[in-house]
Amino acid sequence: MIDKIIRTIRNMWEVPELRRRILFTILILALLRVLSNIPLPGVDVSKLRDLLSRNAFFGLFDLFSGGNLQHFSIASLSLNPYITASVIFQLLGMALPKIEALQKEPGGYEKINQWTRLLTVPLAIVQAVGLYFLLSKQINIFGSLQWWELGTLIITLVAGTMIMMWLGELLTEYGIGNGISVVITAGILSRLPSAFSSLTQTITPENSFNLIALGVAAVAIIIAIVAVNEGERRIPIHVARRTNSTGGYSEAPTHLPLKVNQAGVMPIIFAVAVVMLPASLGQFLQRFSEPQIRAVANWLIVNFTPQKAVYNIFYFVMVVAFTFFYTVISFNPEKIADEFMKSGRFIPGIRPGKPTVNFLNWILARITLSGAIFLGLVAVLPSLMQNLFATAASLAIGGTSVLIVVSVVLESVKQVESLLVTRDYDSFLK
């Protein structure tokens, strides 16, 4: 096994293009780490870190920023505005026929990508202003800022996001894997040393068994995520082709792959935005003096925390609902059935047209349900692990972060394998 790994690494380094991509990826990741450690002046970081440890919303925001928020660096917003802009255009492509048609035109993807970059700027400004006011209400980490100081703060945060977006796109073109995903993954992985350090400080003879069980659970979680991400239902497809010898038709079998996790990590991201609203609403209602309203506010604040059952049940339901929603808008059985009819493809035993649509909907609903339940469990896993093992270090192995890391690693490995196979084909042809 070790010999095979060493041989694979040696082969990777012998391919000139792959070697350049690896070195370029390392360079970009190093630049990103430098960027994430350039702090903004005049910020009380100790108060901010204390808030992140107590507030689930800001803790999750820090997770998606790759830990940049706890340093309050110029990259504190990370790629969140760009991701939001991408989601907006993805939804518009499903809702507006003009955007959908543009996606299929030559050069249409590049045009939409340019619009996404332009939309990122106002979204980054809005998020920077929102982050300032949210942190100012929670704790006073900025002191008293003049209007020009606040403007400089916002411009710097927006510039940090645009630089990270530019580096991510360079990584996509000249590096390994999807650049934006790799940037997010690198930020998540950068948190592991501090998490491991915190874990080692909590080791005692009394909780040693819990920590061993935690390690076993971490391995099991990674295996499960890999299995579900790679799992797919292959629907057999036949293609009618005319033969040259007899003039009749022959069937060339192929298949239509339907992934178990068709929606990826997007349902969890959408659900997070919804599940944080009740606690925010409770904090707003606390300002009223009426006893009934304050009682509702206190109930929302107490129960919508990651340690409470109400929060986790609501979170789970939202993830399942958004998984079905995102799958429906990203996979259209009617389009698939229409393309089958135009290209002469058909599912054995299923008539073309409406019967094909009904069959695909039936299959999609079954596999989406299993994928939705899995994503829901992944989403609430950090809270379950923390309650089970009674250690906050369990948060480092569960939830969205592991799903993102595993998905990006699998995608990068497939790209490396593709480059190696291409090199073998070139060697064979020569």
Side-chain angles (χ1 to χ4, degrees):
M1 182 66 180
I2 297 178
D3 293 340
K4 183 179 180 180
I5 295 175
I6 295 175
R7 187 166 57 253
T8 302
I9 295 175
R10 186 185 299 115
N11 292 336
M12 290 169 53
W13 194 254
E14 290 176 355
V15 180
E17 181 183 358
L18 189 54
R19 183 170 62 247
R20 286 194 299 269
R21 286 181 174 271
I22 292 174
L23 293 175
F24 187 82
T25 301
I26 294 174
L27 174 62
I28 293 297
L29 293 179
L31 291 176
L32 288 170
R33 295 318 304 159
V34 172
L35 190 69
S36 64
N37 284 279
I38 301 177
L40 287 169
V43 177
D44 192 337
V45 179
S46 60
K47 288 184 179 180
L48 178 59
R49 291 177 179 174
D50 180 65
L51 174 66
L52 296 179
S53 63
R54 293 183 288 102
N55 190 294
F57 174 79
F58 288 106
L60 192 64
F61 191 92
D62 182 53
L63 171 66
F64 281 101
S65 69
N68 297 329
L69 184 59
Q70 62 180 322
H71 304 294
F72 210 83
S73 67
I74 62 175
S76 293
L77 292 180
S78 189
L79 292 169
N80 295 317
Y82 180 80
I83 294 173
T84 305
S86 300
V87 171
I88 289 174
F89 275 104
Q90 194 170 12
L91 294 177
L92 288 177
M94 305 297 175
L96 300 179
K98 290 185 178 180
I99 301 295
E100 183 181 5
L102 181 62
Q103 292 175 343
K104 300 178 181 179
E105 295 178 1
Y109 176 80
E110 289 76 10
K111 186 177 294 185
I112 292 178
N113 197 20
Q114 181 64 22
W115 291 349
T116 304
R117 298 190 194 102
L118 295 175
L119 182 60
T120 301
V121 177
L123 288 177
I125 295 174
V126 172
Q127 291 190 18
V129 174
L131 182 63
Y132 167 76
F133 283 108
L134 282 174
L135 291 177
S136 298
K137 286 185 177 181
Q138 295 291 329
I139 50 175
N140 187 18
I141 65 172
F142 299 103
S144 179
L145 295 182
Q146 301 294 328
W147 66 267
W148 58 270
E149 293 176 323
L150 177 59
T152 303
L153 175 70
I154 293 173
I155 292 174
T156 305
L157 290 174
V158 173
T161 294
M162 302 309 293
I163 292 174
M164 291 190 70
M165 181 188 70
W166 175 61
L167 293 177
E169 292 184 349
L170 288 178
L171 194 56
T172 301
E173 186 173 358
Y174 301 108
I176 295 176
N178 181 283
I180 304 301
S181 301
V182 172
V183 169
I184 296 174
T185 302
I188 294 173
L189 292 177
S190 67
R191 296 162 55 94
L192 289 181
S194 60
F196 182 77
S197 175
S198 301
L199 179 63
T200 55
Q201 294 175 4
T202 61
I203 296 177
T204 61
E206 291 77 14
N207 66 359
S208 58
F209 175 78
N210 283 351
L211 294 177
I212 294 174
L214 183 63
V216 174
V219 175
I221 291 167
I222 294 174
I223 294 174
I225 291 177
V226 172
V228 172
N229 271 1
E230 295 297 296
E232 62 183 20
R233 169 71 182 272
R234 296 185 176 184
I235 300 177
I237 303 295
H238 286 186
V239 184
R241 294 181 178 177
R242 184 181 297 276
T243 60
N244 295 327
S245 57
T246 63
Y249 287 91
S250 64
E251 296 179 353
T254 180
H255 67 271
L256 173 67
L258 296 179
K259 294 183 69 64
V260 176
N261 184 15
Q262 191 85 16
V265 75
M266 296 307 299
I268 296 181
I269 297 176
F270 290 155
V272 165
V274 175
V275 80
M276 294 300 175
L277 290 179
S280 301
L281 178 62
Q283 292 177 353
F284 173 76
L285 294 178
Q286 271 191 329
R287 301 177 179 180
F288 294 89
S289 58
E290 288 77 1
Q292 295 83 359
I293 297 179
R294 292 185 65 87
V296 173
N298 291 332
W299 187 88
L300 290 174
I301 294 174
V302 170
N303 287 276
F304 279 89
T305 58
Q307 291 76 26
K308 298 296 182 178
V310 174
Y311 173 92
N312 289 288
I313 293 173
F314 182 67
Y315 194 8
F316 180 86
V317 172
M318 286 295 100
V319 170
V320 172
F322 277 117
T323 300
F324 276 93
F325 169 76
Y326 197 81
T327 301
V328 167
I329 66 174
S330 62
F331 184 87
N332 192 338
E334 293 184 0
K335 285 186 179 180
I336 300 296
D338 185 57
E339 291 177 359
F340 280 0
M341 294 182 63
K342 292 179 180 179
S343 59
R345 294 182 174 89
F346 62 93
I347 302 174
I350 307 297
R351 297 181 61 184
K354 190 63 176 178
T356 299
V357 175
N358 295 334
F359 177 78
L360 291 177
N361 280 325
W362 180 68
I363 295 295
L364 191 64
R366 293 172 61 194
I367 64 175
T368 300
L369 178 61
S370 59
I373 293 175
F374 173 78
L375 284 180
L377 292 175
V378 168
V380 302
L381 187 59
S383 300
L384 297 178
M385 297 290 288
Q386 188 176 17
N387 294 332
L388 181 62
F389 296 105
T391 172
S394 60
L395 298 177
I397 69 163
T400 310
S401 57
V402 177
L403 182 62
I404 294 174
V405 171
V406 172
S407 301
V408 172
V409 169
L410 290 175
E411 180 183 357
S412 300
V413 168
K414 289 179 181 179
Q415 183 178 355
V416 171
E417 290 177 349
S418 176
L419 291 172
L420 290 175
V421 170
T422 303
R423 176 239 190 181
D424 292 338
Y425 280 144
D426 291 341
S427 301
F428 175 76
L429 291 175
K430 291 179 181 179

